[in-house]
């Protein structure tokens, strides 16, 4: 049976009591399965023998645990270590509690009573937490040492209780010793007597200095308060238990207490201990905001760590880490979108995911950094970078896959509408999305322009200048509706008897294709694309009007010539004005180039006998 004794009183009484109860010497023989408690009142020789025995039995601790006056062994015993996450047994250890530290050692195989050094923890940074029994896991307690924690199991409930009690009492004794030391150092020391001066004029100055010195000495910082003595340990516990708010509250309390106090040597030592905890706390908060952590929960999940970093005076670091975290979250959300079905459906999902995340991030940023105006420029830079990531995914799906101009126009329209939602919080990124998309849209417009020109030239090469026969009234009605949607309101004047249309198939097809191009291009329009769109329209129209003018000059048959003039009149008097009007409505200002083109075409018809072609 394992017995533990806490001995108080003189060293001789301790040895006598222990011998009478156990029949063994009180000096620990480092039995593998025995817990032994030794009191702080012992002879110097016993203390030296205890440490000497310990150093001999534990390999690798001689340099880490130097013998020093006042160090003695308080308690030791066997424990079983468990994994803190999975509660699986790791190893058997032997723990040695001294008056200022805790040594953990592992047993050496095939060498009874011999150990190998595992870890050494100063009591100042050690916290002890009881672990409630949860069968079959019982008789356990946890040691917290930032940034790690370890769980140990005692042999039974009695030994566990002894470990908890002796650890707490040893820590208290250590704190009391430190408190006495600080009080001793804080006592005022008599000032050295200045040498006597023979100068009679210095007497008044000396008296004033003597009066000032005592007043400075009177203001001594009291660091013996219990909460100050326990502050480093309390900070360790808060950090280990992830009570970030509690840790920062303690730091604020200390800063408020020391705010107007003089900086003495004890205060500097306390500050050094606290600063080390502040660094540890900052590291933990930084880890909480790292992209490696779980990104679930949205921007609000970062508020706790961000707010505590700001309270610690780390606003810039908090801003940087918050934005990095959100960038990783947005990127992950975009990557998880499945590319399936129609392109427009994917773009709807992409815009919803991206702009919703951006809006939530902006609102959370405004909440967290409301008093830090200097951080807003960093957010704008981040928003631009995120928009570039969105445009990369958008362009890859819309423009790189060579979608039709109508599909591309609809996708861009959806992106613009989602972008306008950001104006709810005063954030306008429309100019950024325009700048990032201008190259792809310009390429799409030019590509589709080339397709229309090639199709028009192909139809022109097969032109027979014959009237259209749509065969059925339904087909004629459909064509009327198509021309009406193109803006040609007087199309009925070009229809004849039954299902005939007094226009060429080539001119009608050109009208429908050109107006469709203009409508889709206006959905893509923004000021940077003004000249690109205008020049594309001029190139398309020139192919048609020049072909009509050339045919009018070359045709000799009077009947066909009259039919060509009718088609030319339709182009010049109906189609081109409709194009000009629709362009002005969509852009907001008239296009002088289109007006000049129409006027120039009229001049070309002044001399219809010329056979010169500019096609």
């Amino acid at each position: 049976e394992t017995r533990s004794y806490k001995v108080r009183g003189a060293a001789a009484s301790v040895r006598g009591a222990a011998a009478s109860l156990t029949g063994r010497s009180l000096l620990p023989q480092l039995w593998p399965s025995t817990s032994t408690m030794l009191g702080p009142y012992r002879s110097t020789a016993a203390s030296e023998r205890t440490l000497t025995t310990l150093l001999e039995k534990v390999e690798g601790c001689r340099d880490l645990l130097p013998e020093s006056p006042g160090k003695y062994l308080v308690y030791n015993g066997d424990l079983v270590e468990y994994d803190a996450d999975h509660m699986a047994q790791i190893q058997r250890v032997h723990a040695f509690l001294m008056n200022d530290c805790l040594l953990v050692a592992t047993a050496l195989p095939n060498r009874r009573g011999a150990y190998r050094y595992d870890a050494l923890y100063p009591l100042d940074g050690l916290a002890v937490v009881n672990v409630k029994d949860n069968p079959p896991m019982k008789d356990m307690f946890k040691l917290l040492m930032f940034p790690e924690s370890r769980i140990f199991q005692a042999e039974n409930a009695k030994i566990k209780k002894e470990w908890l009690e002796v650890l707490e009492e040893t820590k208290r004794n250590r704190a009391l010793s430190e408190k006495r030391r600080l009080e001793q150092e804080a006592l005022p020391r008599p000032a050295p007597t200045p040498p006597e001066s023979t100068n009679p004029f210095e007497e008044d100055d000396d008296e004033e200095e003597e009066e000032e010195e005592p007043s400075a000495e009177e203001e001594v910082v009291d660091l013996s308060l219990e909460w100050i003595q326990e502050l480093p340990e309390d900070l360790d516990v808060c950090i280990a238990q992830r009570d970030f708010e509690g840790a920062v509250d303690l730091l604020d309390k200390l800063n408020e207490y020391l705010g107007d106090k003089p900086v003495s040597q004890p205060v500097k030592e306390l500050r050094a201990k606290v600063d080390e905890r502040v660094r540890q706390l900052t590291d933990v908060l930084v880890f909480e905001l790292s992209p490696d952590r779980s990104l679930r929960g949205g921007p609000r999940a970062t508020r706790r760590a961000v707010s505590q970093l700001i309270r610690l005076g780390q606003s810039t670091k908090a801003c940087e880490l918050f934005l990095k975290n959100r960038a990783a979250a947005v990127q992950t959300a975009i990557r998880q979108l499945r590319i399936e079905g129609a392109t427009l459906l994917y773009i709807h999902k992409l815009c919803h995911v991206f702009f919703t995340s951006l809006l939530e991030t902006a609102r959370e940023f405004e909440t967290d950094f409301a008093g830090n105006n200097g951080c807003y420029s960093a957010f704008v830079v981040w928003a631009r970078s995120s928009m570039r990531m969105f445009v990369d995914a958008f362009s890859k799906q819309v423009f790189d896959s060579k979608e039709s101009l109508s599909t591309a126009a609809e996708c861009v329209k959806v992106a613009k509408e989602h972008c306008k939602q950001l104006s709810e919080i005063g954030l306008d990124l429309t100019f950024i999305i325009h700048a990032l998309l201008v190259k792809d849209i310009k390429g799409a417009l030019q590509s589709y322009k080339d397709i229309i020109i090639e199709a028009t030239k192909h139809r022109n090469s097969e032109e027979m200048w014959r009237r259209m026969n749509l065969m059925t009234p339904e087909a004629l009605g459909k064509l009327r509706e198509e021309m009406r949607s193109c803006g040609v309101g007087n199309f009925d004047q070009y229809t004849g008897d039954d299902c005939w249309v007094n226009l060429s198939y080539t001119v009608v097809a050109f009208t429908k294709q050109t107006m469709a191009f203009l409508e889709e291009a206006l959905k893509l329009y923004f000021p940077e694309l003004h000249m690109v769109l205008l020049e594309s329209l001029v190139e398309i129209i020139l192919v048609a009007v020049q072909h009509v003018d050339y045919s009018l000059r070359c045709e000799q048959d009077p009947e066909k010539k009259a039919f060509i003039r009718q088609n030319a009149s339709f182009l010049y008097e109906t189609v081109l004005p409709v194009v000009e009007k629709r362009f002005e409505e969509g852009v907001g200002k008239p296009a002088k180039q289109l007006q000049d083109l129409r006027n120039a075409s009229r001049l070309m018809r002044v001399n219809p006998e010329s056979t010169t072609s500019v096609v």
Side-chain angles (χ1 to χ4, degrees), residues 452 456 459-460 463 465 483 486-488 490-491 493-494 502-515 537-552 562-581 594-595 597-602 604-605 615:
I452 294 177
T456 303
R459 288 192 297 266
N460 289 345
E463 180 62 78
W465 293 112
M483 298 306 289
C486 290
V488 181
N490 60 344
F491 184 72
Q493 72 183 41
Y494 295 99
N502 297 323
L503 292 173
S504 166
Y505 166 78
T506 301
V507 173
V508 172
F510 168 79
T511 302
K512 292 194 294 184
Q513 200 169 25
T514 301
M515 294 307 299
L537 279 174
V538 169
E539 286 186 50
I540 292 173
I541 293 171
L542 276 176
V543 174
V545 298
Q546 288 177 353
H547 173 68
V548 170
D549 287 333
Y550 177 75
S551 300
L552 192 60
F563 181 69
I564 295 173
R565 286 196 184 98
Q566 191 172 6
N567 281 272
S569 176
F570 176 74
L571 278 176
Y572 298 135
E573 307 301 332
T574 301
V575 177
L576 293 186
V578 168
V579 171
E580 292 177 34
K581 180 182 177 182
L594 294 176
Q595 296 174 359
L597 175 62
R598 184 155 53 95
N599 295 331
S601 300
R602 281 203 190 97
M604 292 174 66
R605 289 185 293 139
V615 178

Side-chain angles (χ1 to χ4, degrees), residues 139-179:
D139 304 328
M140 293 183 171
F141 60 92
K142 181 185 290 188
L143 297 181
L144 306 177
M145 311 76 59
F146 180 85
E148 62 177 313
S149 63
R150 300 177 73 170
I151 292 182
F152 297 100
Q153 183 183 52
E155 186 174 344
N156 52 50
K158 179 182 176 182
I159 294 179
K160 169 189 172 179
K161 182 180 179 181
E162 289 178 355
W163 267 110
L164 293 176
E165 290 177 352
V166 74
L167 278 166
E168 288 299 331
E169 183 172 350
T170 306
K171 284 169 60 65
R172 280 196 298 270
N173 292 336
R174 174 69 177 170
L176 288 174
S177 300
E178 186 69 14
K179 178 180 178 181

Side-chain angles (χ1 to χ4, degrees), residues 499-530:
C499 300
W500 289 90
V501 177
N502 297 323
L503 292 173
S504 166
Y505 166 78
T506 301
V507 173
V508 172
F510 168 79
T511 302
K512 292 194 294 184
Q513 200 169 25
T514 301
M515 294 307 299
F517 170 77
L518 178 57
E519 289 297 330
E520 302 302 338
L522 288 176
K523 294 179 184 177
L524 296 167
Y525 178 83
F526 44 86
E528 291 83 352
L529 293 170
H530 182 83

Side-chain angles (χ1 to χ4, degrees), residues 120 210 216 352 410 493 545 562:
L120 182 68
E210 290 175 0
H352 175 73
E410 197 62 32
Q493 72 183 41
V545 298

Side-chain angles (χ1 to χ4, degrees), residues 363-382:
R363 286 172 174 164
E364 184 64 25
F365 186 91
E366 193 172 14
T367 300
D368 293 346
F369 299 92
N372 297 275
N373 295 332
C375 294
Y376 280 85
S377 58
F379 176 78
V380 173
V381 173
W382 174 85

